[in-house]
Amino acid sequence: MKRSINQHEIYPIGLGCMNLSHAYGVPPDKRQAERVLLQAMDLGVNHFDTAALYGFGKNESLLGDLLKTHRQKIFLASKCAMTGVDGKRVIDGRPETLKKTCNEALQRLQTDVIDLYYLHRWDKTVPLEDSVGALVDLIDAGKIRSIGLSEVSAETLRKVNSIHPVAALQTEYSLWTRNPEIAVLEACRELNIAFVAFSPLGRGFLANNLPALEAINRLEINDLRRSMPRFQAEHWPNNVKLLTEYIELASEANCTPAQLALAWLLHQGDHIYPIPGTTNVAHLEQNCKATEVKLSADVIERVERLINQDSISGARYNTATQQEINTEEF
């Protein structure tokens, strides 16, 4: 059931490594992170996704320390143009910055080359051609093997692909975030570009594993979901109401809620690669088994009718973050 990105055979479900170092409260200790990473490999996962931003370099260092002896077995993806500077998140797409970030990433990852290197955000203060040109220079220098884009529109994807072939586009896609269905999902199919779906479990919502569902404010202070409208008091109660029927549908399909969400994504196309993140080995094992789940046409139709852009309450990002991205919106 392998799929392919830039001629590399990839297990259909990868591992998003962000929450091993970043964004969802206190990250696990290195020993627990190691268990997750090595168990992922044992389960057949070979697509590992990180970024300079995650833990402000700590996540790349984590992967470098733990996976360096397995480097030839894995497909390694990282990102530039969004990093930590003096403890703050900064978007900087200047060519000199991107090349510096890549050199630092290679050192942290303890490798000579990164298989897939994304422009994490399009810095709109820098001509897109300049940022892409820097990535092409990195390919020519043998430091990266292919170019990826994150959170951009179909129009932007086509523009960049006309400059240099794009191997993958990464953006949020799940039952509760359907924006890619407007245009970019089909553009990837037409251009033979891999579509990498981050947050395929709706940031935990579709896995039904959020703590105290009736009291989302119990999330840790530094959990980024606190800033997202869908998790706030105005919208959260409306979204939670959908879970009862959703969980029943998962039971009917003989799978967990998380497996239902992942199996649905895999059903959307052979060019789609979900990269759920987890700090829990048991959840990791369940996620990987989603490749074995067969969904009936009836279950697919009912789950799509239940959870979609019209039934979910609230935007996926707050206004400030929304202005930083370039995706199509309903």
Side-chain angles (χ1 to χ4, degrees), residues 79-123:
K79 310 178 192 73
C80 60
M82 188 157 60
T83 58
V85 178
D86 296 329
K88 296 182 179 180
R89 182 175 65 90
V90 172
I91 295 175
D92 185 348
R94 293 175 296 173
E96 60 270 26
T97 301
L98 303 187
K99 292 177 181 181
K100 178 176 181 289
T101 303
C102 182
N103 287 334
E104 293 169 346
L106 290 169
Q107 290 182 337
R108 288 192 290 255
L109 291 164
Q110 301 185 50
T111 187
D112 295 327
V113 62
I114 299 169
D115 296 308
L116 172 59
Y117 206 48
Y118 291 94
L119 195 65
H120 204 164
R121 288 292 183 273
W122 169 22
D123 179 354

Side-chain angles (χ1 to χ4, degrees), residues 20 28-38 62 66 279 281:
L20 296 176
D29 61 30
K30 187 172 181 178
R31 183 175 299 178
Q32 177 62 17
E34 179 177 16
R35 280 196 288 265
V36 171
L37 290 167
L38 297 182
L62 171 70
L66 299 181
T279 61
V281 169

Side-chain angles (χ1 to χ4, degrees), residues 5 10-11 14-15 45-49 75 77 118 196 273 275:
I5 300 179
I10 305 295
Y11 189 76
L15 183 66
V45 174
N46 62 343
H47 177 192
F48 293 86
D49 181 274
F75 182 80
Y118 291 94
V196 177
Y273 301 79
I275 51 168

Side-chain angles (χ1 to χ4, degrees), residues 273-292:
Y273 301 79
I275 51 168
T278 185
T279 61
N280 184 298
V281 169
H283 292 169
L284 170 71
E285 293 170 347
Q286 291 174 13
N287 291 345
C288 288
K289 288 182 180 178
T291 59
E292 302 170 10

Side-chain angles (χ1 to χ4, degrees), residues 174-182 264 304 307-309 330:
S174 69
L175 281 162
W176 90 334
T177 296
R178 309 288 280 277
N179 306 62
E181 295 174 2
I182 298 172
W264 176 83
E304 289 178 347
I307 300 180
N308 55 60
Q309 69 274 11
F330 284 106

